[in-house]
Amino acid sequence: MPNERSSSITHSRTAVAVLGLGPMGRALTAALLAVGHPVTVWNRTPGRDTELLALGARPAASAAGAVADAPLVLLCVRDQSAARTALDAAGQALRGRTVVNATSIAPEDARANATDAEARGFRLLDAAILTPTPTIGRPEGTVLLSGDPEAFTAHEATLRALGTVRHVGADPGRAAAFDAALLDLFWTTVHGYLHALALARAEGISGAELAPYAQGLPRMLPPLMEDFAQRADDRRHSGDRSSVASAAAGLEHVAHTARSRGLDTSVLDAALAVTRRAVAAGHGADGVSALVELFGR
């Protein structure tokens, strides 16, 4: 039995429903339980709530049942289709509540969901979780939210149990846009590193030998990111430090080396094609950041 102090804390906390118990949904639930929020959980596939029930979560037999006593609903499922299925399953039980959709979706889907929510009588915030499950509930856990500012203000204190939360605008699709842009950076970076490991292996260099030198590159990126961001915002791309033409030469060298070893160079070839188009369009002497203008067109 909980002692008197813990019981009073629990009852002073906002009740939350969590729909979706994949790894991230379970992490969100655990973070809320850790600070005393009553949490009801539901998952389309049964059997994923065992550990959460041991922590104090309450099970629900249906999505509608899960949200019945919760002014705040967290939705965290696989994709837009699963999100729509869960929202439809909750049905009229969502009326008057705030739903935070932490599913990775496209910005236009987030906007469509918000329009649908308004028609159905509940408020919707879209959430982009930018950090992995071990960070949830800790300051390094980062969650961006967009949509109804009043809904965010009303539930900000509860949402802070998840980590560092920030409202990034009233446009419901804005958090998803941040998410897409940052995933673009992450996956192209991961692909580049894995391709580098394959190239190194083809030349008789082990991953362990390459890794210490590869780890030096990320330390160079923060000032470069700030510089490129400012150039992109200003739409000024001086070639005082590096040029599009030099980038094309570098990519040609890497692609040739990889191709000579029989490696797949499809991504390198695509990057080289874009860079060559920029040179052909007269941007060879401009800074590499000028490529943002070509991508934009």
Side-chain angles (χ1 to χ4, degrees), residues 23-258:
M24 185 57 75
R26 294 196 297 272
L28 297 172
T29 301
L32 290 164
L33 290 169
V35 295
H37 289 284
V39 183
T40 303
V41 296
W42 173 81
N43 192 68
R44 190 166 51 175
T45 304
R48 292 186 175 179
D49 58 2
T50 304
E51 293 182 4
L52 298 172
L53 299 184
L55 293 174
R58 296 175 295 190
S62 67
V67 308
D69 297 318
L72 180 63
V73 179
L74 293 187
L75 174 62
C76 187
V77 290
R78 183 183 299 274
D79 53 25
Q80 169 69 358
S81 176
R84 296 297 311 171
T85 298
L87 292 172
D88 290 344
Q92 289 301 308
L94 291 173
R95 182 171 291 276
R97 310 186 193 287
T98 294
V99 175
V100 174
N101 186 6
T103 305
S104 289
I105 58 175
E108 60 267 25
D109 288 332
R111 297 179 185 114
N113 291 344
T115 299
D116 179 66
E118 184 176 5
R120 292 171 55 179
F122 65 93
R123 299 192 294 186
L124 185 73
L125 290 167
D126 190 70
I129 302 175
L130 304 184
T131 49
T133 54
T135 68
I136 301 303
R138 303 169 60 88
E140 58 267 34
T142 303
V143 183
L144 304 183
L145 297 105
S146 60
D148 189 331
E150 292 183 1
F152 175 76
T153 300
H155 294 287
E156 181 178 3
T158 300
L159 293 169
R160 290 200 180 283
L162 308 179
T164 299
V165 298
R166 294 189 177 90
H167 188 260
V168 293
D171 171 8
R174 206 152 191 264
F178 271 92
D179 187 44
L182 291 167
L183 285 173
D184 182 350
L185 173 63
F186 176 77
W187 286 116
T188 51
T189 302
V190 167
H191 180 280
Y193 180 50
L194 295 175
H195 196 274
L197 289 173
L199 177 54
R201 177 193 288 172
E203 290 291 341
I205 300 170
S206 70
E209 289 177 291
L210 186 70
Y213 299 99
Q215 289 172 26
L217 294 177
R219 290 192 286 271
M220 299 166 55
L221 289 178
L224 190 64
M225 288 179 170
E226 293 287 345
D227 181 48
F228 279 9
Q230 190 62 57
R231 289 169 181 245
D233 288 346
D234 294 343
R235 295 179 181 266
R236 297 177 182 273
H237 306 285
S238 169
D240 55 335
R241 297 181 185 177
S242 62
S243 69
V244 175
S246 65
L251 282 167
E252 287 171 353
H253 161 66
V254 177
H256 170 76
T257 303

